């Protein structure tokens, strides 16, 4: 058997210097080496005729050497070699810098293949620093060549040679890591063929098969790991059984509106979880304005009347305050005591709250990060809600949960992500979705417009503000930047609006570099109507409710992801007034126009997210990291959605038939998960 864990230093071609360089790339063992996948490939397999060459492309030519090497020296130690080559369609000049050893390499009249970047100027065709092979040899040309992510001082050729040597060691002897029945069912390449073809594919068809196999394996491993976390929570920990005699309908009947079908369905799912003795771990997804808050209020009622405390954690003070008012309005009449604890809460008040919390005199505590501070102690925390989850790390979720004894947890998010992605992001949670908005909402009118409409937009804002409304303007930048000189910055635009365009109104600026206290103050004044126009960056993205605001203008809308635009749009349309979302964009690219069209025509956040995913492929702005997605070696969650779906269907089957991976046929899967996630899953 091959020792995949052997140190790379024993592999041919790896000297002490290279060991250090390889380590920088995260390569320590033979296994790391052969699973260090290329980031790209160059097709050097198909020669082109000289008269077919295109300026700027990399191309292979099959030619006769037509001149001796011409050598020009200049500067200190600088040499240029030039040589003429020819095929039956034309001539081409090859140029090398400082590679004197090539001087006598080629013989006039003999045939070679060259590969390099084509440069065409005034009809003169040149290829600089080409790699080459003599006719009949396929070392650097005549095949598909892998391109690896590199580190300083390690060349493609060197790394390629080392990886080739690594592959020679494993040859046909790698142990298959995926069970036979899965390979068969999903038509996956076996590991030995795939590992060779992923590095040195015979053709792109073989490459695709190899890649599919590794993508499948990687996604399968992550998904199984998440699934095992979930079953662990489910099966092994005892949670709280909330009182079956406490009826959610008692609150529901006092509300001034009827809950939507979707809200009722979600409440039923949560109610079941709460009454069971397993700790709930549930994600509540719902479009902006779909009414998630009221759902959490009803659940907190159930917790309080069952004798348990609830913690509500929001990402900003403003939101926490907003929640506090909502909770109080609905629950105080039932004798339930709510309190607000913020970072800025005065010391005296704070110690009063902490005291009451410990004694159980407070039923519901609402706050921000302030809740996870050490001296915040609950008497019997039984229910935890985190709002707008993507602003909190998993760590914070765990910290607040730790203040109770296996409390039920509800995670609320308004970032509509397709279910497939939600399963990767929140795979350890059960998912409930509110897929319906309350009735009688006025549809927000969305207008994608060009920059030259700016004056008209300003007049439109003026007309609305004169009628008493308010407007949000969102910019991609805080301050002016040379790098993005066509982007609007919030600071500059505020100045311009306040001093030149809207001197009669109060215009203020809000951005992430400001102190929390200042942000809160400005937001508060906007809420109270003292500020009419709020220019900001995307800091206002998160759930703030200002029903009087009816205009959302997004500058450089082409810069934002669709999901983000949708989220921004959700800031308006919260009151009785007809609302507008104006997307000012630049550029004529087809994708930009298509995306703007989707925004205009689609007001369902989930559809927007699906389309975004479809259009975007390589998720340039989605900001994978920000969403806490795991990092993948080869899978791309945006391009590989189809494989992800297959994997998820498979994992669901396995969850049903063998959730602990104990059957013989699944032993390999267990090894796969243990191997890759042994550190992370042992909680
Ligand atoms: P989000 O899901 O974005 O957090 P909110 O919970 O803030 O949405 O709800 C938005 C607004 O809709 C609130 O003012 C809330 O009172 C109201 N609302 C919630 N559910 C309903 C309903 N079923 N019918 C009418 N209005 C509702
Ligand atoms: Mg909300």
């Amino acid at each position: 058997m091959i020792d995949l864990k052997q140190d790379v230093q024993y592999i041919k071609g790896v000297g002490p210097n290279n060991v250090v360089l390889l380590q920088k790339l995260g390569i320590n063992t033979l296994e790391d080496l052969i699973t260090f996948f290329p980031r790209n490939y160059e097709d050097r397999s198909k020669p082109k005729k000289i008269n077919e060459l295109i300026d700027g492309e990399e191309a292979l030519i099959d030619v006769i050497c037509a001149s001796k090497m011409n050598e020009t020296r200049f500067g200190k130690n600088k040499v240029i070699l030039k040589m003429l080559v020819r095929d039956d369609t034309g001539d081409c000049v090859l140029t090398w810098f400082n590679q004197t050893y090539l001087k006598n390499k080629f013989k006039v009249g003999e045939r070679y293949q060259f590969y390099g970047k084509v440069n065409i100027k005034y009809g003169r065709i040149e290829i600089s620093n080409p790699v080459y092979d003599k006719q009949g040899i396929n070392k650097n040309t005549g095949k598909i060549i892998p391109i690896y992510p590199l580190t300083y001082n390690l060349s493609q050729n060197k790394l390629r040679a080392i990886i080739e040597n690594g592959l020679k060691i494993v040859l046909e002897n790698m142990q298959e890591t995926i069970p036979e029945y899965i390979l068969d069912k999903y038509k996956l390449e076996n590991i030995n063929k795939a590992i060779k073809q992923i590095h040195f594919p015979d053709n792109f068809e073989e490459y695709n098969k190899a890649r599919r196999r590794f993508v499948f394996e990687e996604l399968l491993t992550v998904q199984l790991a998440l699934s095992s976390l979930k079953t662990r929570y489910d099966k092994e920990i005892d949670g709280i059984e909330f009182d079956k005699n406490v009826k959610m309908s008692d609150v529901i009947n006092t509300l001034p509106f009827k809950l939507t079908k979707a809200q009722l369905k979600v409440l039923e799912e949560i109610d079941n979880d709460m009454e069971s003795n397993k700790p709930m771990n549930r994600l509540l997804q719902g479009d902006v304005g779909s009414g998630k808050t009221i759902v959490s209020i009803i659940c907190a009622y159930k917790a309080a009347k069952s004798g348990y405390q609830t913690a509500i954690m929001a990402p900003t003070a403003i939101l926490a305050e907003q929640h506090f008012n909502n909770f109080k309005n609905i629950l105080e009449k039932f004798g339930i005591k709510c309190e607000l604890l913020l970072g800025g809460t005065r010391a005296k008040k704070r110690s009063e709250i902490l005291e009451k919390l410990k004694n159980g005199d407070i039923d519901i505590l609402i706050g921000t990060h302030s809740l996870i501070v050490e001296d915040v102690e609950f008497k019997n925390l039984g229910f935890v809600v985190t709002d707008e989850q993507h602003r909190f790390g998993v760590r914070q979720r765990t910290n607040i949960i730790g203040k109770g004894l296996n409390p039920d947890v509800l995670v609320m998010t308004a970032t509509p992500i397709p279910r497939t992605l939600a399963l990767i992001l929140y795979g350890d949670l059960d998912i409930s979705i509110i897929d319906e908005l309350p009735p009688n909402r006025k549809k927000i009118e969305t207008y994608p417009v060009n920059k030259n409409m700016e004056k008209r937009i300003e007049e439109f804002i003026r007309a609305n503000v004169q009628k008493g409304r308010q407007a949000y303007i969102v910019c991609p930048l805080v301050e002016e930047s040379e790098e993005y000189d066509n982007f609007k910055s919030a600071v500059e635009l505020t100045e311009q609006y306040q001093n030149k365009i809207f001197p009669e109104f109060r215009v203020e600026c809000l951005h992430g570099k400001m102190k929390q206290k200042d942000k809160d103050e400005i937001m508060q004044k906007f809420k109270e109507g003292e500020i009419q126009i709020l220019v900001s960056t995307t800091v206002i993205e998160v759930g703030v409710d200002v029903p009087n605001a009816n205009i959302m203008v997004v500058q450089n809308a082409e810069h934002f992801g669709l999901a983000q635009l949708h989220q921004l749009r959700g800031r308006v349309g919260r009151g009785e007034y007809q609302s507008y979302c104006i997307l000012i964009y630049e550029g004529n690219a087809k994708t930009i126009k298509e995306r703007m069209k989707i925004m205009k025509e689609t007001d369902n956040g989930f559809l927007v997210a699906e389309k975004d995913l479809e259009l975007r492929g390589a998720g340039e702005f989605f900001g994978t990291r920000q969403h806490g997605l795991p990092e993948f070696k080869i899978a791309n969650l945006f391009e590989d959605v189809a494989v992800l779906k297959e994997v998820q269907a498979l994992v669901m089957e396995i969850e049903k038939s063998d959730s602990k991976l104990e059957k013989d046929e699944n032993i390999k899967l267990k090894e796969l998960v243990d191997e890759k996630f042994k550190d992370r899953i042992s909680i």
Side-chain angles (χ1 to χ4, degrees), residues 316-317 320-321 340-350 353 367-371 373 516-517 520:
T316 65
E321 227 160 295
L340 179 68
L341 182 69
L342 299 173
T345 303
R346 276 174 219 265
K348 184 154 164 277
K349 174 94 180 157
R350 183 168 190 276
I353 291 177
T368 55
H369 290 83
S370 51
L371 298 195
V373 177
Q516 190 61 44
K517 192 171 135 274
D520 288 349

Side-chain angles (χ1 to χ4, degrees), residues 287-289 291-293 319 322-323 387-388 412-414 542-544 571 574:
D287 211 340
V288 205
K292 295 183 289 294
T293 314
L319 263 181
Q322 195 173 289
H323 284 333
D387 191 16
E388 311 292 351
M412 303 200 292
T413 168
V542 166
V544 177
R571 294 308 106 219
R574 303 192 145 232

Side-chain angles (χ1 to χ4, degrees), residues 311-315 341-343 350 354 357 365-378 381 384-386 389 391-404:
I312 316 278
M313 202 158 70
L341 182 69
L342 299 173
R350 183 168 190 276
L354 294 188
L357 193 66
L365 184 65
I366 298 160
T368 55
H369 290 83
S370 51
L371 298 195
I372 53 183
V373 177
E374 211 178 310
D375 62 350
V376 178
E377 286 173 50
F378 291 80
L381 178 63
V384 171
V385 179
T386 57
Q389 169 64 17
R391 296 282 155 137
F392 291 114
V394 177
R395 159 113 17 102
Q396 275 136 337
R397 207 203 301 161
T398 323
N399 282 347
I400 184 75
I401 294 168
K403 291 188 182 288

Side-chain angles (χ1 to χ4, degrees), residues 257-260 263 286-294 322 388 438-439 441 545 574:
F257 45 74
K258 258 182 76 182
L259 291 184
T260 61
Q263 284 171 318
D287 211 340
V288 205
S290 62
K292 295 183 289 294
T293 314
I294 188 68
Q322 195 173 289
E388 311 292 351
R441 284 275 162 85
D545 210 7
R574 303 192 145 232

Side-chain angles (χ1 to χ4, degrees), residues 208-234:
N208 283 330
K209 282 197 223 159
R211 180 172 186 280
R212 173 178 156 79
R213 183 230 143 84
F214 288 115
V215 168
F216 196 101
E217 180 171 347
E218 186 163 46
L219 293 174
L220 180 62
T221 311
V222 172
Q223 204 77 73
L224 282 172
L226 288 168
S227 148
S228 80
L229 271 181
K230 187 156 86 182
T231 46
R232 197 170 306 201
Y233 289 145
D234 284 352

